[in-house]
Amino acid sequence: MTARHLLSIAEFGAAGVQRVLDLTDHMVAVNQRPNPKVPALRGRTVCNLFFEDSTRTRLSFETAAKRLSADVMTFSVGSSSVNKGESLRDTIETVAAMGVDAFVIRHRSSGAPWQVTRWTEASIINGGDGWHAHPTQALLDAYTVRGALGRGGAGTTFDGVRVAIVGDIKHSRVARSNVEVFCALGADVTLVAPRTLLPPELPTGVEVTSDLDAVIDEIDVLYLLRMQNERISDAGAPKGAMGTLVPTIREYSARFALTPERARRLGEHALVMHPGPMNRGVEIQVDPAELPGALITRQVANGVAVRMAVLFDLLAGPTTTMTGLVSEEATA
Ligand code: NCD
């Protein structure tokens, strides 16, 4: 059973997560070839609709679609008729009329990708909506942890793995989706944040603390979040500042950043992750290149393979098998 859309991890389901993680192994193999391209999605069209800034997500979806031989349209709001007041619905309907099989959507409004499913027959992939969800980031993070822990293969579980997600949880779609994916895989998840940066409703099944030092020695995966200045400003606080949510950056960093001292306290086996872009000196005060367990570059590299797996899962159709494609190279 394949899904039609990837909107959130919860809706995609645990079986969908396993399917994508397993498919990603094949995509990593494709990416290691001298010609990293397969004809899997030849004739399909993927449209990237990014209404919000992005570097990694947009470029990796574009690369992923091309490596599967799909045609790619990329839409940046800066040069589109959205600036002339065209609505999201009109934009979608206009682009869909050109023949699109999947839209990847990033939008500042939570729920926008769900809305869009009502206006087109195409598959919708959520590339990040407001504070709400970022499911492909969560999948690439789960894949990265699975690789680093050597827990690959069918039926991956993270039983007994202690994950701490640290920082601005309240404004973070990455945190919400990662809680869903890590919990679905059986990890023990702890949210670490000042009370002002926690959402009003906490996800079930997670621990919460505002004392990073109390948990740092026990962590297997330290997942640092970016301080989301632009979203805090959206919420009415003074622009560029943490407003009333955090007294000062310095105080925030003293309690929640990965400092050299905390890096020393982390277990040798501990993995350190960040979705990027990093605020160096705020949530991370060490050079990740010098941390043996840092996976930040691997997260970006895996982003392409995971997004290939997602596009393949949604678009390839039941008759295209990955195993057949691995031995086949695109000639185009
Ligand atoms: C994240 C995002 O945009 O939600 N970045 C990303 O996709 N790699 C995280 C962030 O902006 O902090």
Side-chain angles (χ1 to χ4, degrees), residues 52 56-57 106 134 137 173-174 226 228 230-231 275-277:
E52 229 193 32
R56 294 155 195 77
T57 310
R106 169 167 289 196
H134 194 352
Q137 179 71 43
R173 53 194 174 207
V174 172
R226 184 174 65 87
Q228 315 255 315
E230 76 287 11
R231 305 224 165 90

Side-chain angles (χ1 to χ4, degrees), residues 300-324:
V300 177
N302 286 336
V304 174
V306 164
R307 289 173 175 125
M308 288 167 77
V310 168
L311 289 170
F312 183 88
D313 188 60
L314 298 179
L315 297 183
T319 53
T320 321
T321 63
M322 194 60 219
T323 344

Side-chain angles (χ1 to χ4, degrees), residues 39-200:
L41 297 185
R42 193 180 279 160
R44 307 284 158 86
T45 301
V46 175
C47 178
N48 290 321
L49 282 175
F50 279 68
F51 293 88
E52 229 193 32
D53 298 344
S54 169
T55 305
R56 294 155 195 77
T57 310
R58 188 171 58 78
L59 291 178
S60 65
F61 264 114
E62 215 173 290
T63 309
K66 286 180 181 160
R67 291 196 177 163
L68 295 173
S69 305
D71 293 324
V72 186
M73 298 187 210
T74 293
F75 172 103
S76 296
V77 79
S79 53
S80 75
S81 289
V82 169
N83 286 338
K84 300 179 188 165
E86 188 160 37
S87 70
L88 177 58
R89 181 173 186 160
D90 285 340
T91 306
I92 294 290
E93 287 177 352
T94 303
V95 182
M98 298 176 198
V100 170
D101 298 287
F103 285 100
V104 180
I105 294 174
R106 169 167 289 196
H107 201 281
R108 69 195 291 274
S109 301
S110 298
W114 279 260
Q115 285 271 41
V116 171
T117 61
R118 296 164 35 210
W119 302 328
T120 167
E121 290 299 304
S123 288
I124 306 301
I125 300 168
N126 186 354
D129 65 319
W131 304 359
H132 182 223
H134 194 352
T136 59
Q137 179 71 43
L139 288 167
L140 77 88
D141 290 331
Y143 185 78
T144 305
V145 171
R146 158 169 137 155
L149 294 177
R151 296 207 183 178
T156 307
T157 72
F158 291 167
D159 284 346
V161 177
R162 289 155 302 181
V163 179
I165 302 180
V166 185
D168 183 4
I169 314 256
K170 179 174 179 167
H171 301 98
S172 175
R173 53 194 174 207
V174 172
R176 251 171 282 279
S177 290
N178 275 21
V179 165
E180 289 179 2
V181 90
F182 286 127
C183 288
L185 291 168
D188 299 325
V189 179
T190 303
L191 304 178
V192 187
R195 291 234 313 266
T196 47
L197 291 180
L198 285 169

